[in-house]
Amino acid sequence: MERVFSDSDVLLLAILLVIGCILVVALSDILMPVFAAGVIAYLLDGIIAKLAKFRIPRFPTVLIVFGLFLTLVTFILIAIIPLLYQQTEQFIEQFPQLFNRAQEVIVRLPEHYPRFVTTEQIDEILSSIRKQTFAFTQEILSISASSLIGLISMIVYLVLVPLLVFFFLKDKDQILRWMMHYLPGDPRLVRQVWRQVDIQIGNYIRGKFLELVLLGIASFISFYLLGLNYSLLLAVAMGLSVLIPYVGATVVTIPVVIVAYLQWGLETQFWYVMIAYSVVQVIDGTILVPVLFSEVVNLHPVAIIVSILLFGGLWGFWGVFFAIPLAILIQAVLSVNPKIKTLL
């Protein structure tokens, strides 16, 4: 404690981290529009920084980028969300039929593989599936009951978040100067950590967002051309799967295989879907990831998995989404201070 926290810069950095953590935990529900707008502004600021290389003034650049952002949001709300909602509704309506077909397949397993599966095991599996199905149905009903509150919250988000994004982009320098003005002395270590985190987390979030979009589009085109049911729903799931390294790709494989098998069985079309799915995943792992994340700090797989478990357990979906950026933040904090380095 004396070796590390005798430095006022280290103490200031520790206090800021603790205050930031408390704000996120205690006020996340209230300040979620602010956090969401901050993340979006952070993404868009990277585009503004690249356009600044062409010596375009910041304010016109902000207007152009913000206009493109509003156009994209409008397109998603008008074209993508209704189609996604329609496919989700169809999936929920046809879920009993899918469950019955899956049950027929499971019941036949002891006939084909008597050495590996018994009738008693199948009965236990079906009983467990029925319980999970009932719980899932109850959860859907509870969501429907609270849909009015969700609709009001969405309207508030649609108004506040774009407004906050615009001001965050337009007055970025003023906001940062105002925040730094209230820090005591010369926060050398804070600035150093911020520079490292800004580079690494900025590259990670922007790269992850681009990977999500490209993977989702490629998956949708492949599934749609092959005639797979719920192609948009599955493509969105594949895009979101990149938010959870190592785990997401494994989890999203299950619904793709189940939907394709229940639609075609083991016919030729099923294998076409599996080949297309495998090709998309291979391209993502061998081309997209190395290109998009070449400048991001390399974290050990154990550190990534521990971060996902820890922050996901604390903050749910958003904890999983920000697990790697938070791990990068911790790594930056540990790396900038020589006293901490020697202590470790």
Side-chain angles (χ1 to χ4, degrees), residues 268-312:
T268 306
Q269 201 72 8
F270 170 83
W271 297 109
Y272 284 160
V273 171
M274 293 298 100
I275 292 172
Y277 173 79
S278 302
V279 169
V280 171
Q281 291 287 9
V282 169
I283 292 175
D284 175 54
T286 59
I287 299 177
L288 281 182
V289 172
V291 170
L292 296 176
F293 303 106
S294 59
E295 299 180 3
V296 177
V297 173
N298 292 321
L299 294 171
H300 195 276
V302 173
I304 294 175
I305 294 172
V306 170
S307 299
I308 292 170
L309 293 174
L310 176 62
F311 296 115

Side-chain angles (χ1 to χ4, degrees), residues 38-99:
V39 173
I40 295 172
Y42 198 75
L43 288 169
L44 298 179
D45 190 64
I47 302 175
I48 293 174
K50 293 185 181 299
L51 292 177
K53 297 178 180 179
F54 298 97
R55 297 183 179 181
I56 304 175
R58 181 172 179 85
F59 186 69
T61 307
V62 168
L63 291 178
I64 294 172
V65 172
F66 184 72
L68 292 174
F69 165 70
L70 289 182
T71 303
L72 177 62
V73 170
T74 304
F75 172 75
I76 291 174
L77 291 175
I78 294 176
I80 304 298
I81 296 297
L83 184 58
L84 183 62
Y85 177 80
Q86 181 183 1
Q87 290 199 0
T88 305
E89 191 177 38
Q90 290 175 356
F91 178 78
I92 294 173
E93 290 177 353
Q94 296 180 5
F95 187 80
Q97 299 177 8
L98 295 175
F99 176 76

Side-chain angles (χ1 to χ4, degrees), residues 2 9 16 24 30 36 46 65-66 86 90 110 117 127 131 135 149 197 203 234 244 248 283 286 328:
E2 186 175 347
D9 287 340
L16 290 176
V24 171
I30 300 173
V65 172
F66 184 72
Q86 181 183 1
Q90 290 175 356
V117 184
S127 177
K131 292 179 181 178
I149 299 175
V197 169
N203 290 335
L234 294 174
I244 313 176
I283 292 175
T286 59
I328 294 173

Side-chain angles (χ1 to χ4, degrees), residues 22 76 83 86 106 126 128 156 185 261 281:
I22 292 174
I76 291 174
L83 184 58
Q86 181 183 1
I106 294 174
L126 292 177
S128 176
V156 172
Y261 179 77
Q281 291 287 9

